[in-house]
C-alpha cells in the first residue's frame, strides 16, 4: 500500500506498523476513562488525527479512510494522543459525541460483551508464608 | 502458524484475527481506569488469559508466549475480559502489580509519551447559529 502522507517524518520513524502498514489506536473517553473502541491507522490516518482535531481511522474492511462520525454524527474530538514504548499502538483520548460503537452501544466492548474468565488476584503480602 | 489450542470454539468463532492470527488486547487498570498497554494474542493466549487468571500474550518480536510478569514480577491478574463488536480486539481489565511497561514506567503510553496534536472540541449547541 503506497500512500502519500504529510505525517511528520520524526513521528513516522517511531511507528512500528504491522504487515498491512497499520498501528492500533485505542480510543479512550477523556471524561470517563472508558475504553470506547479500537481502530487502525496508517500513517495518513495518524497525520489527520494529529492535525485536524478529529479522529480518522483506516477501515480494514472497507479499505478507506473513515473520519469517525461523518456518517453517524458520533464524532470523536481529539484531546491527546500518546504513543507506546514500541510504537505499535496509540492511545487517543477523546471527547465522544453520542455512542462510540456503530451498534449504538456506548462502547464497542459493551456491544461485544464479556467473555467468561477466571478472575485472578495478586497474592496478599504476608499470606501463605506461615 | 498452526497452534493446538483448547480455546472454547464458541469464543474462537468470534475472533477476527489479522494476517498473523492475532487479535489486539487492550489492558486497562481495573482500579484506576488507566490504559496500561496493548498486547497481541493468538487463540492459545486468549485461552490461557481466560482460564488461568493471568494475562498471557503472544510476543510478535520474540515469537513466543509471554505470561506477563514471569520475568519482571509485574504480573497482571485478570478481572474481566470483554470482546469488541467485530471481534478484533479484547479489553482486559487487570489488577496490575508494579509497572506495566518493561521500561519501568507505569504504562507503555507514559513511556512513549505524547505526540503533538491539535485539540478538538464538539460544537456547543446553540453557538454559531446566530
Amino acid at each position: 500500500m503506497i500512500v502519500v502522507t504529510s505525517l511528520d517524518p520524526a513521528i513516522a520513524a517511531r511507528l512500528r506498523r504491522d504487515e498491512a502498514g497499520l498501528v492500533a489506536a485505542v480510543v479512550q473517553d477523556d471524561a470517563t476513562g472508558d475504553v470506547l473502541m479500537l481502530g487502525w491507522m496508517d500513517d495518513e490516518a495518524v497525520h489527520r488525527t494529529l492535525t485536524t482535531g478529529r479522529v480518522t481511522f483506516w477501515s480494514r474492511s472497507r479499505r478507506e479512510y473513515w473520519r469517525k462520525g461523518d456518517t453517524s454524527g458520533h464524532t470523536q474530538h481529539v484531546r491527546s494522543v500518546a504513543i507506546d514504548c514500541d510504537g505499535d499502538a496509540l492511545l487517543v483520548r477523546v471527547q465522544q459525541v453520542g455512542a462510540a460503537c456503530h451498534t449504538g452501544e456506548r462502547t464497542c466492548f459493551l456491544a461485544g460483551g464479556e467473555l467468561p474468565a477466571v478472575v485472578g488476584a495478586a497474592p496478599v503480602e504476608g499470606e501463605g508464608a506461615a
Side-chain angles (χ1 to χ4, degrees), chain A:
Chain A
M1 183 167 57
I2 298 173
V3 177
V4 177
T5 176
S6 306
L7 180 63
D8 181 340
I11 294 172
R14 298 185 62 188
L15 298 180
R16 195 171 61 119
R17 306 162 194 79
D18 68 9
E19 287 90 342
L22 305 174
V23 296
V26 180
V27 182
Q28 184 177 29
D29 190 305
D30 190 52
T32 66
D34 289 338
V35 176
L36 298 172
M37 59 178 290
L38 184 131
W40 304 93
M41 296 184 185
D42 67 1
D43 285 30
E44 176 63 14
V46 174
H47 174 65
R48 294 183 191 184
T49 297
L50 289 174
T51 57
T52 67
R54 287 275 301 276
V55 179
T56 296
F57 302 103
W58 174 257
S59 169
R60 300 195 300 181
S61 53
R62 298 194 304 272
R63 304 198 59 75
E64 63 184 18
Y65 292 105
W66 163 43
R67 191 171 75 156
K68 183 70 180 168
D70 278 353
T71 303
S72 64
H74 296 161
T75 48
Q76 291 177 337
H77 302 272
V78 175
R79 289 304 167 85
S80 65
V81 180
I83 187 169
D84 76 348
C85 55
D86 66 357
D88 67 351
L90 301 177
L91 177 61
V92 185
R93 293 184 66 112
V94 304
Q95 177 190 11
Q96 173 70 51
V97 174
C101 186
H102 75 286
T103 62
E105 287 276 4
R106 194 164 49 81
T107 87
C108 294
F109 299 98
L110 286 171
E114 291 211 4
L115 299 178
V118 172
V119 172
V124 177
E125 278 187 54
E127 283 190 7

